[in-house]
Amino acid sequence: MQRERLVRGFEEGMTVLQGLIAHGRGEAFDYLIGERTIPEALSAIKAGAAALVLASKPVISVNGNTAVLCPEELVRLSEALNAPLEVNLFYRSEERARRIAEHLRRHGAERVLWRCDAEIEGLSSERRRVSSSGIYASDVVLLAIEDGDRTLALKRLGKRVVAIDLNPLSRTAQEADITVVDEVTRALPLLTAQVQCMQGMSAEELASVLEGFDNRRNLGRVLEHMRRRLRELSGQSG
Ligand code: PTJ
């Protein structure tokens, strides 16, 4: 179903061909973690939710893959956080951005930013263009299926980055402050539920959840999970 969604998204001018390749890479890593949300992803979801609830200007970055794979989930999270969805594309064209914004609105989104009037320094080409009231002004950015260069550029701008990426070795996964190694359609509803649950918590409690999370260590545990799983599958356990 996901592949069909992406193919339809391509035919409708929302997903790019490179997005289909990216999805294939994601699937390969999903097989390695066992196609389920692992405990390490749940820890990152908890920390990511704390960061988003604590944020004064959170923004959810949407690209051609995420818009097509999980529009409803993006809208629900945007509502729960009262945060805008910003269409931010690696392979940007005005037409693609507009189509994706309309697609999100058809799924109920009320706050969609897609016109660019600001630039991220240190990035070449169309990837640098953002909205001045969205990503540019934000303090925390949630992104998924993202390119490493842009993740780094956001970090350099002082943003806290929460990333969803199935590849624990990708530059995005390595450079983000909080990396949820999980499939985006599985992770988003869990993140929304966690955000709703944390909205009653004090800033101190949220800060202590954040402080207790170490991204490098968590990514190490994800790799350890994969190693264990491969040993079991190859019949070498014990
Ligand atoms: O729509 P655009 O123009 O912004 O382009 C988007 C793509 C996906 C082409 C662009 O962001 C890109 O090239 O990304 P990368 O560098 O290929 O990185 C994508 C990462 O997302 C890889 O590490 C994949 O393993 C991972 N990934 C792919 N599908 C999923 C995923 N992670 C979570 N859930 C998925 N469904």
Side-chain angles (χ1 to χ4, degrees), residues 13-157:
M14 291 189 281
T15 316
V16 283
L17 275 176
Q18 293 86 338
L20 306 187
I21 299 170
H23 184 76
R25 271 207 306 290
E27 280 189 356
F29 281 98
D30 207 13
Y31 295 144
L32 294 181
I33 62 172
E35 296 172 278
R36 64 186 176 86
T37 302
I38 60 177
E40 293 75 14
L42 287 173
S43 305
I45 284 171
K46 216 170 155 189
L52 288 162
V53 173
L54 267 179
S56 51
K57 273 183 173 283
V59 172
I60 303 163
S61 180
V62 180
N63 68 11
N65 281 47
T66 52
V68 159
L69 285 174
C70 46
E72 295 90 356
E73 289 85 349
L74 288 165
V75 172
R76 270 187 220 118
L77 181 59
S78 159
E79 283 169 358
L81 281 169
N82 192 22
L85 298 171
E86 177 164 343
V87 181
N88 192 244
L89 302 176
F90 189 101
Y91 301 100
R92 186 180 173 90
S93 76
E94 289 302 292
E95 180 56 17
R96 255 192 94 206
R98 191 185 54 75
R99 280 180 194 221
I100 291 171
E102 275 170 11
H103 175 74
L104 293 169
R105 286 200 197 100
R106 274 199 302 278
H107 284 85
E110 286 180 3
R111 295 181 68 195
V112 186
L113 303 169
W114 66 278
R115 290 182 195 278
C116 299
D117 56 0
E119 292 186 358
I120 300 179
E121 279 172 35
L123 266 185
S124 57
S125 78
E126 291 300 309
R127 290 179 281 160
R128 68 182 187 276
R129 303 181 62 211
V130 291
S131 161
S132 58
S133 57
I135 288 178
Y136 194 79
S138 67
D139 55 346
V140 180
V141 182
L142 172 73
L143 42 85
I145 319 185
E146 181 62 273
D147 152 71
D149 281 348
R150 204 167 39 196
T151 304
L152 259 173
L154 290 171
K155 287 282 301 166
R156 276 200 297 268
L157 275 181

Side-chain angles (χ1 to χ4, degrees), residues 216-231:
R216 290 267 158 195
R217 197 176 320 142
N218 202 53
L219 287 172
R221 288 187 182 132
V222 172
L223 291 172
E224 181 56 32
H225 168 90
M226 289 178 175
R227 193 182 70 90
R228 245 191 346 262
R229 191 173 138 74
L230 287 174
R231 277 179 73 93

